[in-house]
Amino acid sequence: MDKINKIAENNNFFHWYIEFPEVFSNKRGGFDCILTNPPWETLQLKEMEFFTGYNSEILTAPNQSERRKIIRQLKEKDLKIYKKYKNAWKSMKKMSHYLRTSSLFDLSAQGTINTYALFIERCWRLISPNGYTGIICPTGIITNYFMQHLFKEFVKEHAILSLFDFENRKKLFNIHRQFRFCLLSLGGKNISQEIIPITFFILDPKEIQSSLSIIFENKKDLKKRINNLPNDHYLIPLEKEDFELLNPNTLTCPSFRIKKDADLLKHLYKQTEILIKRNVETNEIIYDPWDFNFTRMFDPSNDSNIFIMEKDLEKYDAKPLNEKSNGGIWINEKNIKFMPLYEGKMIWHYNHRYNSVKIVEKGKYKQRSIKNNLIELKNPNFFNIPAYWVEEKEILSRIPKNYNKNWFLAYRDITGATNERTFVAAIIPKTATVSTIPISLSNKSPKELCLLFANLNSIIFDYIVRLKISGSHISLYIMEQLPVFTNLKYSEKLKKIILSKVLELTYTSYDLEHFAKDLCYNKEPFEWNPQRRELIQAELDGIYAILYNIRRNDLIYILNTFDVLKKKEFDEFNEFRTKKLILQAYDKFSRQKELFE
């Protein structure tokens, strides 16, 4: 009995029905109201936090694989700390097992468990059918992949009464200024609301006062009242059908500044299909016209033991395959090839040679991006210089044997909705890549993939992505639910125009010779001409604005949302040049209606 009491004391056992019998033993059936600001912690044993103050060698380990190696050595060097670590690890595992199997947290104990999700599900279950709960929690509750089951249930039950999303730029909480949190209001089973009134990116609690007044003064006719608000109003009405349209696989929620953004995004999604359609219940793929198959090759931490720096290539007696460039492939006398390791920061739109990376040797190795200059870009023998190389056999082991191209379609995973541009894609040689640059392993024809490539790099697609991401990553579940055109959307004349422009923008160096040949082009690489490239890319943007059936005034609005790009170009050219060129291209192709028939 003493052991049982000790376990109960150590684990803080608590039973709501026993502690509050007067709440659950009568017709009330739960609490009338619960207000909470739960902890926002992931249930993981964080090694860096655990060993702070214990072992500096673990804290300064260069990567995770090395850190785990040092931890295992503690069994011989410091058994007391090692046992403490193992006990903490076992305790966390047991807690996770309980949460996943107790049936109390079926919707929230998904993926990496976060305590705020557990609190939200429990609070909702504990209120009476006529009760309410108000919760302060991360906005991830409506946007994150592993919160989808909980959010789906709220939407299905019409339980969300309001949600006010805040950006922490005014430091309301002592957390990162870009972190987003929200005020979430839920109702019990007898309290349902057809629409969800939401605001996004609020900076000060005072800003929601007028929205609160609209909600509480128009309860009987809330949908009509909010729909009649002007386009630039920040109170946005969303319904179950909107989530089914905008995120049909996960039913999660995009982020909008104003009502106009929500209306435009709905319009854009109605023009075509998403990349991959999944069954909402089983997650099985039911529609994949592009044979999408984006994958991540090497993890910077777990695979770091196979990364080779340039100074270490000499140990393998390796030399650059192209004597005119230290970038690209290296090879030794045994014909073993060492392939450059591409990272997201090394690419830009239609440019696989955007940045090289230099290792700075100061204590820990640190990387520094070096933007390739105009002279280098004009040189077709100049190849990107990476921080690391990887032996070819390692790459081949990660690629399906039936993959039939010597190049990849790749995109940047790390980004931001307020960056100069948010979505960045490029064609890169068949080489090593880290997880921050997912690659396509589709076996669709090169011409078809080039149409997809142009679609992904269009500024209209960029605008869509800005509304769909909530953090700093374009996760694969977000990517799968983005609207793109299939091969059937393009006329033959339009295909030829797009393909010729993609080829000229992309094939600027010899390391993409295979790509050019796949498009039946056997000549020298195209000259790097910045002014001409601006015009070509603007023409592609104009074409895709027409394909997405965007009106000219809406195109102007969309272009004006790219604030960082606008400021940069006004500083450099004293005009928003991208906007001017795209509008000119839009007008030009709008007169060529036969291309879009």
Side-chain angles (χ1 to χ4, degrees), residues 452-595:
L452 175 62
F453 177 39
N455 194 160
L456 298 180
N457 267 339
S458 69
I459 203 160
I460 298 298
F461 186 81
D462 201 308
Y463 171 74
I464 294 169
V465 176
R466 285 168 178 251
L467 300 177
K468 296 299 295 290
I469 64 171
S470 58
S472 57
H473 291 272
I474 304 176
S475 303
L476 291 178
Y477 82 92
I478 294 174
M479 189 71 187
E480 289 182 357
Q481 297 179 101
L482 295 171
V484 295
F485 298 106
T486 64
N487 189 44
L488 300 174
K489 179 68 176 179
Y490 304 89
S491 69
E492 290 303 316
K493 288 182 180 178
L494 189 58
K495 285 180 186 177
K496 289 179 181 178
I497 291 171
I498 294 173
L499 290 173
S500 66
K501 295 181 186 302
V502 169
L503 176 63
E504 183 172 348
L505 287 170
T506 303
Y507 184 41
T508 58
S509 62
Y510 287 108
D511 56 348
L512 285 181
E513 189 174 7
H514 290 290
F515 169 77
K517 287 181 177 179
D518 282 350
L519 294 180
C520 304
Y521 184 84
N522 296 299
K523 300 179 183 179
E524 297 296 303
F526 289 90
E527 179 188 357
W528 185 280
N529 183 322
Q531 289 74 35
R532 179 164 172 75
R533 291 176 65 83
E534 283 180 343
L535 289 171
I536 295 173
Q537 196 165 335
E539 290 194 323
L540 287 171
D541 286 328
I543 287 170
Y544 279 95
I546 296 169
L547 285 171
Y548 277 109
N549 197 21
I550 291 292
R551 296 178 301 179
R552 197 177 195 277
N553 285 343
D554 288 334
L555 177 57
I556 291 171
Y557 167 78
I558 288 171
L559 294 171
N560 284 334
T561 64
F562 287 80
D563 296 325
V564 176
L565 178 62
K566 184 198 305 185
K567 183 180 183 305
K568 177 185 174 183
E569 293 192 353
F570 266 105
D571 290 344
E572 189 173 351
F573 307 119
N574 203 30
E575 64 174 349
F576 192 1
R577 181 178 289 184
T578 294
K579 176 182 175 181
K580 183 182 79 173
L581 293 177
I582 291 174
L583 289 174
Q584 288 174 352
Y586 178 88
D587 293 339
K588 169 187 170 182
F589 286 104
S590 292
R591 294 190 290 270
Q592 302 179 50
K593 297 187 185 301
E594 70 279 2
L595 294 176

Side-chain angles (χ1 to χ4, degrees), residues 299-456:
D299 182 88
S301 296
N302 296 333
D303 297 314
S304 59
N305 58 306
I306 62 172
F307 298 169
I308 305 167
M309 289 191 286
E310 182 177 342
K311 67 183 183 68
D312 295 323
L313 285 172
E314 297 174 4
K315 297 177 183 178
Y316 296 88
D317 297 321
K319 296 179 180 179
L321 186 62
N322 185 327
E323 295 177 357
K324 297 178 182 180
S325 176
N326 277 354
I329 301 170
W330 285 49
I331 192 168
N332 66 11
E333 292 179 356
K334 296 180 180 178
N335 213 32
I336 297 173
K337 291 181 180 179
F338 301 89
M339 316 297 283
L341 180 68
Y342 264 71
E343 303 174 52
K345 57 194 167 191
M346 295 169 70
I347 66 171
W348 196 247
H349 305 100
Y350 304 104
N351 183 5
H352 68 294
R353 300 183 297 158
Y354 182 65
N355 275 330
S356 289
V357 184
K358 183 178 181 181
I359 295 287
V360 181
E361 299 186 37
K362 288 185 178 178
K364 278 188 182 182
Y365 289 122
K366 292 184 179 179
Q367 294 186 18
R368 181 162 63 90
S369 297
I370 302 172
K371 191 168 184 179
N372 298 325
N373 60 45
L374 186 59
I375 295 173
E376 290 167 330
L377 293 172
K378 281 180 171 289
N379 177 6
N381 284 301
F382 173 78
F383 307 146
N384 252 0
I385 301 173
Y388 303 100
W389 280 257
V390 175
E391 196 171 333
E392 184 182 34
K393 68 177 183 180
E394 299 288 350
I395 299 164
L396 296 177
S397 70
R398 312 283 176 114
I399 301 172
K401 290 182 179 179
N402 67 340
Y403 182 69
N404 57 10
K405 300 174 184 65
N406 277 306
W407 47 271
F408 297 131
L409 168 57
Y411 74 90
R412 280 187 176 190
D413 167 65
I414 298 177
T415 187
T418 56
N419 289 0
E420 177 184 338
R421 290 289 296 268
T422 297
F423 194 90
V424 175
I427 301 294
I428 65 172
K430 186 177 180 180
T431 190
T433 61
V434 294
S435 55
T436 58
I437 181 169
I439 55 173
S440 169
L441 298 176
S442 171
N443 278 322
K444 287 289 183 179
S445 74
K447 290 183 178 180
E448 286 181 288
L449 285 178
C450 280
L451 296 174
L452 175 62
F453 177 39
N455 194 160
L456 298 180

Side-chain angles (χ1 to χ4, degrees), residues 16 31-36 122-124 126-127 132-135:
W16 287 95
F31 291 99
D32 295 327
C33 182
I34 297 177
L35 299 176
T36 179
R122 199 74 181 111
C123 287
W124 188 49
L126 289 171
I127 58 175
Y132 297 86
T133 180
I135 304 157

